[in-house]
Amino acid sequence: MRILLLCYCFIVSKTFVCFHFNRTTLSKGRIMDVDSQPTMEETVLVGDDLMLGPPSPLIPPEIASHVLEGVNLCDGILRNLFLCLQVNDIEPFCQEEIALYRECAEKRDKELRKRLQDSEYRLGLSMPLDQAKERASQLESETTTLERRLILASGMEGAEGFRQRWSLHGRLTDTKKRMEALKEGLENRKKDDEPVAVSVKGSTGKRWLFW
């Protein structure tokens, strides 16, 4: 007679749930332990798996139309994930949706970060000098604020503390890289034959057009 023992390993503070299958065989009044044989193990994706990498970058509204143009924002996949969770309530029934969104989000965020830094570099090259310097000062001030908030969040415990540190660290890293790209553009300013970024005021406020 064979008895199948199912053991669950819930890792609350981590990002997965393990299922271990071990068999114990009863034969001729003896118990033979076969735990030394290979076990089947499955990793189930949960919501925290979407926080393994850096958070999605924040897009400044004044350059959002330029940065977001033509980028797959994964909104359709995210909608399917929410619908799946609404129907099934728990993540193990939405493995395909979580995996698809994570893959799409990684590609999207990589492209957005590249475009953000490229946009800041071009603004450093082409904005009026006084405005470019003012933008650099604003980014430096934002960096200092994020660093202070990250220090304060370091004392927070539990899941909420982890989420705040994860979010702040990502924003701080992105802001520093944007500032570095802007300053690099300032250092490499050329003559009037460079493309010009023009400030335009519309119904949604000031934005920048790139040529």
Side-chain angles (χ1 to χ4, degrees):
M1 179 177 64
R2 294 171 181 260
I3 300 177
L4 184 64
L5 300 179
L6 176 60
C7 301
Y8 296 86
C9 175
F10 293 96
I11 311 298
V12 177
S13 62
K14 301 296 182 180
T15 56
F16 59 87
V17 180
C18 308
F19 296 88
H20 297 283
F21 295 85
N22 298 319
R23 292 182 303 169
T24 300
T25 302
L26 302 180
S27 176
K28 295 182 181 180
R30 295 185 305 163
I31 299 179
M32 180 175 65
D33 189 358
V34 292
D35 282 347
S36 58
Q37 294 188 9
T39 61
M40 179 191 297
E41 183 172 324
E42 180 182 355
T43 299
V44 178
L45 298 173
V46 296
D48 285 352
D49 283 292
L50 300 178
M51 296 193 297
L52 291 180
S56 298
L58 295 179
I59 311 298
E62 66 272 16
I63 59 175
S65 59
H66 174 73
V67 173
L68 297 175
E69 183 180 3
V71 177
N72 179 9
L73 300 180
C74 310
D75 47 348
I77 299 175
L78 183 59
R79 189 181 304 113
N80 290 338
L81 173 57
F82 282 147
L83 287 174
C84 180
L85 292 173
Q86 184 177 6
V87 171
N88 296 285
D89 195 39
I90 56 176
E91 295 100 324
F93 294 102
C94 303
Q95 295 300 286
E96 182 178 356
E97 288 80 3
I98 293 176
L100 286 174
Y101 179 72
R102 184 171 66 173
E103 180 182 3
C104 183
E106 287 175 353
K107 293 180 180 179
R108 175 199 64 198
D109 293 350
K110 181 178 180 181
E111 176 64 21
L112 289 178
R113 286 188 167 89
K114 181 178 181 300
R115 289 187 175 206
L116 272 173
Q117 294 172 37
D118 178 63
S119 295
E120 295 291 354
Y121 177 79
R122 288 202 280 170
L123 286 174
L125 281 176
S126 56
M127 284 179 74
L129 184 58
D130 57 339
Q131 293 184 33
K133 289 182 177 180
E134 181 182 355
R135 188 176 183 84
S137 297
Q138 291 174 350
L139 288 175
E140 287 180 350
S141 177
E142 185 176 348
T143 297
T144 301
T145 300
L146 289 170
E147 287 174 339
R148 290 173 179 171
R149 291 180 59 187
L150 186 58
I151 292 173
L152 293 175
S154 63
M156 296 185 62
E157 299 181 354
E160 182 59 29
F162 167 75
R163 291 189 184 97
Q164 285 205 25
R165 290 189 294 274
W166 173 72
S167 176
L168 289 169
H169 183 268
R171 288 178 57 186
L172 177 60
T173 301
D174 288 337
T175 304
K176 283 183 175 180
K177 289 184 177 180
R178 284 175 51 207
M179 182 175 62
E180 291 170 0
L182 179 67
K183 288 183 175 181
E184 185 178 356
L186 276 168
E187 293 172 357
N188 294 318
R189 294 178 72 92
K190 296 182 180 179
K191 298 180 181 179
D192 294 337
D193 58 348
E194 286 292 337
V196 177
V198 179
S199 172
V200 177
K201 286 191 175 181
S203 58
T204 58
K206 186 167 67 175
R207 59 193 178 91
W208 291 94
L209 301 180
F210 296 83
W211 279 269

